[in-house]
Amino acid sequence: MRNLKISILALTGLLSLPAAYASSIQGVMWSVPASTADNVPTLGHVPGTGATELGTFTASEIKFSGDSNYSLGGFLNSFGAASNIVFMNGATANSSLTDVLFEFTGSASFTNGQTFNVLHDDGVNLYVSSNLVLGQPNTTSPITTPFTYTGSSGVFDFDFIYANGPPTQADFQTTLVTSGTITSSNAPEPSSLLLWGVGLLALAVVTIRRRQLQVN
């Protein structure tokens, strides 16, 4: 019975593990000249000359769209990813998205050979550990661009620079996973953990009963 109790305790601990964790992403936004919005600056040159800071925010993921509500607030709150939004220099949630530069910084898990998708309108430059992994700096209609990470595997800092130039649409979404997040690609879902744990417990009970029958 002692082995059975140990198995039950182990299963209880397993099922109490949280399914996922998420690191926050730090965001900054600026009003920039059209020339900057039409050609996203490189790392170290953000936000560029003539920029005015519009605000800061944190985000749980990079998933934003201003297609249906073309404003700063509409973009940031489009999928509920942003929080702690602070507007500056006269900007409000109703301010236009035209010629606005965004910078997203944080950390994420990267695996050599892993492919990510980025939906963007307009330009975007994506850096991992200060190395450019995706450079699409110019204006474009909404387009999904894939890129394959070829660096070392591990958790590294990222810096994603995105700009929306001409009016009417604004999209920036990526399958990038924030650091610490457990995804279906690298860990079982909670339901799978439950089934696996129940099976493990059942096996332990059967094994103990067989041993007891052999002793008797």
Side-chain angles (χ1 to χ4, degrees):
M1 293 301 293
R2 180 174 179 275
N3 290 335
L4 178 58
K5 290 180 180 179
I6 293 175
S7 299
I8 294 174
L9 288 173
L11 176 59
T12 301
L14 174 66
L15 297 182
S16 66
L17 289 174
Y21 304 88
S23 300
S24 63
I25 300 168
Q26 303 304 310
V28 186
M29 50 189 173
W30 299 268
S31 173
V32 295
S35 57
T36 300
D38 293 344
N39 188 8
V40 177
T42 56
L43 188 64
H45 296 88
V46 176
T49 59
T52 301
E53 188 170 359
L54 300 178
T56 61
F57 57 92
T58 58
S60 58
E61 59 180 332
I62 297 177
K63 190 176 183 180
F64 302 96
S65 175
D67 292 355
S68 59
N69 187 343
Y70 191 77
S71 65
L72 292 179
F75 181 81
L76 294 175
N77 296 310
S78 51
F79 293 99
S83 59
N84 303 315
I85 303 170
V86 178
F87 293 106
M88 303 175 182
N89 297 314
T92 69
N94 294 321
S95 295
S96 175
L97 275 171
T98 300
D99 297 335
V100 176
L101 180 71
F102 294 86
E103 183 175 30
F104 300 83
T105 57
S107 61
S109 300
F110 293 90
T111 302
N112 182 274
Q114 187 173 5
T115 299
F116 298 94
N117 290 318
V118 179
L119 169 64
H120 58 101
D121 169 20
D122 293 292
V124 59
N125 287 326
L126 308 186
Y127 294 84
V128 177
S129 296
S130 300
N131 297 312
L132 181 67
V133 297
L134 173 62
Q136 296 286 327
N138 303 121
T139 57
T140 180
S141 56
I143 184 174
T144 298
T145 302
F147 74 94
T148 301
Y149 176 72
T150 58
S152 302
S153 299
V155 176
F156 302 105
D157 293 337
F158 64 75
D159 195 320
F160 289 4
I161 307 163
Y162 160 77
N164 181 67
T168 69
Q169 291 178 302
D171 294 285
F172 186 38
Q173 301 172 37
T174 176
T175 53
L176 176 78
V177 179
T178 55
S179 175
T181 300
I182 302 173
T183 67
S184 59
S185 63
N186 57 26
E189 297 178 353
S191 57
S192 299
L193 283 173
L194 178 61
L195 290 174
W196 181 79
V198 171
L200 179 64
L201 179 59
L203 179 61
V205 171
V206 171
T207 301
I208 292 171
R209 286 180 176 176
R210 284 181 176 176
R211 290 179 179 177
Q212 288 176 340
L213 290 173
Q214 291 175 351
V215 171
N216 295 332

